[in-house]
Amino acid sequence: MPTGVKAEVRTYQMLIEGEWVESASKKTFPVYDPSTEEVIAQVPDANKEDVDRAVAAARKAFESGWGQTTAQERGRILFRLAERVRKESAMLAELESRNSGKPIVEAEFDIADVATCFEYYGGLATKILGYVNPVPDNALSLTLKEPIGVAGQIIPWNYPLLMGAWKLAPALAAGCTCVLKPAEQTPLTVLEMANWFSDIGLPPGVVNIVTGFGETAGAPLVQHPEVNKIAFTGSAAVGKAIVKMAADTVKRVTLELGGKSPNIFFADADFEAAIDGALFGVFINQGEVCSAGSRILVQRSIYPKFVEAMSEKAKKIKLGNPLERETKMGPLVSKEQFDRVRSYQEAGKKEAKLAAGGGRAEKFSRGFYVEPTIFYDVSNSAKIAREEIFGPVASVIPFENESDAVKIANDSPYGLAAAVWTRDIFKAMRAVKALRAGIVWVNHMQPTYVEAPWGGYKQSGFGRELGPWGIEEYLETKQVHINLNEQPIGWY
Ligand code: NAI
Ligand code: MG
């Protein structure tokens, strides 16, 4: 055990074919509490050998029955999982908050959404429908939907268990089996949930959890010839590498790569609601949100007042121990993310004006805390306006009129989300149509529902999660032709 590690540090195992196992190398790596910088757990450090075992288990489970289970049975298992998550939600929320640094109140919402996600797809399992194709011959032409096979799922650390649910729920409902790799920073809640798999009747090997790092555990999963599909949420750089790695085996890939989402405020918007919406859009979950409204576009006539009001409120945001209920912002997830966000704060000071924050939150002697930070007079071509920061750093950009706003908003390599605030429904609808983004909110930012599609345009990725769109990504389409004509073809 490394020095400085407290006695209560728990050593976890990972789940392969229903068994709790160490990594083949026996190596583990530490998992931290980002508010204290203390090690809270040790987790198996998986490599290719472990991934190979997990994929073999998932393949076997798929071939030996899960792929043929009835939709009702898969649905019931998902309902039982939802129920169990709900029953244990206090424990899960506390662990999530401790491990990721997110405020406990937000973690409670996340865990509630986890249960809802399993429930939704439990219900959807029995609604996977085929078609009868209206072909012109004396034949019955059918379209069948079948599970794609083994799914490799690689998830990030900002919504650890929720991203697990977004990946596992539709895959299981579709009849796929899974190898899930949680983020190395935050594997704990997924591992806790995996404790209940056998109780709820999930057969061994249907879901395997492999803990490890991207290059050593993620990449072998992407390259594995027996994996039929990769679902990834994370950085654009890794997303691009995954597309290249998946090419050799022509895998299905879906990617959710975050963005630089514009939050657009017209002068006629309700001012109080606007300020609140700007803060919520960019600072919720410490700004570690793929759809963060990190480019705040404000119409010139309200711009000075807006920057001032937003900054005043930002300075009062309560940073603190994530487990305290009044805390509105916890630490960033890791030292790596802290350093990254700090470097963007410094870059911002060189290319824009600072209205709030700008550094480490000095009142904490330890923990990866940074101040909620607002830059204004930001050029849309500045580094802080183009690159995803993934921390509480806002870039406020002025605009003159509607066409100016849409032009700036769309001038980004990303296109995950956008929001527009106005009391003019016609203006709102024109913007909705013109914005190149997978999600557009009007007079709100961030509400996310399992019933509605999630995913981006442009370099924010491809494929859609959630709703019926999410299950489609785990299904193959088979055309079946049944000849009803008893005569020979008669061609030769
Ligand atoms: P990352 O993209 O490196 O990590 C996300 C997941 O991918 C983790 O499970 C990681 O182990 C895995 N991974 C990393 N390299 C891999 C590889 N070569 N092959 C297969 N899997 C691999 O994200 P990171 O480094 O934690 O954060 C960097 C930036 O990424 C953030 O600052 C943020 O801008 C962005 N990000 C976006 C997210 C989103 O929700 N779209 C979530 C997390 C990060
Ligand atoms: Mg990385």
Side-chain angles (χ1 to χ4, degrees):
M1 231 183 236
T3 50
V5 175
K6 283 196 186 163
E8 69 262 28
V9 171
R10 177 156 163 216
T11 300
Y12 281 78
Q13 293 175 307
M14 58 187 179
L15 189 72
I16 298 180
E17 205 167 8
E19 303 284 336
W20 288 102
V21 296
E22 295 174 16
S23 63
S25 70
K26 310 277 184 234
K27 283 192 201 145
T28 61
F29 63 88
V31 173
Y32 296 89
D33 174 339
S35 70
T36 61
E37 305 181 34
E38 272 163 15
V39 175
I40 53 172
Q42 289 283 338
V43 165
D45 188 358
N47 61 25
K48 182 172 182 303
E49 202 179 332
D50 303 292
V51 169
D52 287 349
R53 275 169 60 217
V55 173
R59 173 57 54 192
K60 189 170 138 201
F62 182 73
E63 308 292 347
S64 68
W66 182 253
Q68 289 90 50
T69 44
T70 68
Q72 287 187 356
E73 182 53 21
R74 297 197 304 275
R76 281 186 209 114
I77 287 173
L78 287 167
F79 290 141
R80 287 197 287 268
L81 186 54
E83 207 183 316
R84 192 68 183 261
V85 166
R86 225 170 245 132
K87 204 170 137 224
E88 307 280 356
S89 59
M91 178 276 286
L92 290 170
E94 187 182 325
L95 186 61
E96 195 81 306
S97 173
R98 244 188 118 198
N99 186 191
S100 70
K102 72 171 66 208
I104 183 73
V105 176
E106 290 186 42
E108 287 168 359
F109 282 114
D110 292 2
I111 303 303
D113 285 350
V114 168
T116 307
C117 183
F118 286 124
E119 228 160 44
Y120 177 88
Y121 282 104
L124 203 59
T126 52
K127 283 102 193 155
I128 300 168
L129 304 177
Y131 299 91
V132 176
N133 310 311
V135 296
D137 285 324
N138 184 22
L140 185 59
S141 179
L142 305 176
T143 299
L144 304 186
K145 289 293 188 178
E146 296 181 341
I148 203 164
V150 175
Q153 305 177 312
I154 300 175
I155 57 172
W157 40 261
N158 56 338
Y159 289 89
L161 193 60
L162 187 58
M163 290 301 102
W166 283 25
K167 299 286 184 279
L168 294 175
L172 295 175
C176 291
T177 57
C178 305
V179 177
L180 176 81
K181 194 199 83 60
E184 53 272 30
Q185 298 85 352
T186 56
L188 303 185
T189 43
V190 165
L191 289 173
E192 289 293 341
M193 183 174 77
N195 270 314
W196 310 323
F197 288 169
S198 68
D199 291 359
I200 59 160
L202 196 67
V206 173
V207 175
N208 305 277
I209 313 290
V210 173
T211 53
F213 291 83
E215 306 229 316
T216 41
L221 187 57
V222 178
Q223 290 161 331
H224 202 295
E226 288 294 323
V227 172
N228 304 102
K229 181 228 156 79
I230 290 289
F232 172 76
T233 300
S235 63
V238 172
K240 289 173 193 180
I242 283 178
V243 173
K244 289 181 191 151
M245 282 192 274
D248 285 335
T249 47
V250 194
K251 277 188 182 64
R252 310 291 185 276
V253 176
T254 48
L255 301 173
E256 203 272 65
L257 307 179
K260 198 72 201 177
S261 299
N263 198 359
I264 306 167
F265 296 90
F266 287 103
D268 69 342
D270 179 300
F271 191 77
E272 288 303 307
I275 297 301
D276 223 45
L279 292 163
F280 188 81
V282 67
F283 291 146
I284 194 81
N285 205 47
Q286 298 79 238
E288 295 166 322
V289 179
C290 50
S291 55
S294 50
R295 285 188 299 147
I296 298 174
L297 278 48
V298 183
Q299 196 155 20
R300 186 73 77 180
S301 58
I302 58 166
Y303 180 74
K305 196 171 117 192
F306 191 103
V307 173
E308 195 189 323
M310 190 184 166
S311 305
E312 280 318 300
K313 266 193 132 168
K315 288 173 191 162
K316 295 188 189 121
I317 291 174
K318 174 130 181 44
L319 275 69
N321 179 340
L323 292 174
E324 281 166 16
R325 300 198 71 78
E326 320 77 66
T327 294
K328 286 283 198 289
M329 195 180 279
L332 297 178
V333 72
S334 65
K335 175 74 168 57
E336 185 189 353
Q337 198 60 18
F338 173 85
D339 289 341
R340 189 179 287 138
V341 172
R342 283 288 298 113
S343 81
Y344 280 109
Q345 287 176 319
E346 294 310 311
K349 288 174 194 167
K350 295 194 191 96
E351 51 185 15
K353 293 177 189 150
L354 184 64
R360 180 176 184 279
E362 293 299 344
K363 72 169 184 166
F364 301 93
S365 58
R366 48 186 199 164
F368 308 124
Y369 290 91
V370 296
E371 295 174 309
T373 297
I374 299 173
F375 289 106
Y376 68 109
D377 284 3
V378 181
S379 153
N380 195 51
S381 57
K383 186 179 163 79
I384 55 166
R386 301 211 74 78
E387 296 177 17
E388 183 175 55
I389 298 175
F390 230 66
V393 181
S395 294
V396 188
I397 303 170
F399 71 82
E400 305 302 329
N401 54 37
E402 200 179 315
S403 68
D404 195 25
V406 168
K407 195 160 153 262
I408 297 169
N410 285 340
D411 177 13
S412 167
Y414 291 108
L416 182 58
V420 50
W421 300 68
T422 171
R423 281 188 269 210
D424 177 343
I425 185 69
F426 299 100
K427 200 192 287 175
M429 287 312 300
R430 284 192 299 270
V432 164
K433 289 184 76 174
L435 288 164
R436 301 282 300 155
I439 303 135
V440 181
W441 290 287
V442 176
N443 293 331
H444 207 328
M445 192 170 209
Q446 302 310 355
T448 302
Y449 303 97
V450 69
E451 296 85 357
W454 186 268
Y457 284 20
K458 300 194 275 183
Q459 290 187 32
S460 289
F462 45 76
R464 288 294 177 274
E465 298 188 276
L466 305 182
W469 303 271
I471 208 164
E472 274 297 319
E473 308 282 1
Y474 290 94
L475 293 168
E476 281 285 17
T477 300
K478 179 178 279 176
Q479 185 218 127
V480 179
H481 177 94
I482 304 166
N483 179 24
L484 300 178
N485 193 352
E486 291 183 55
Q487 307 310 314
I489 299 168
W491 189 266
Y492 298 107

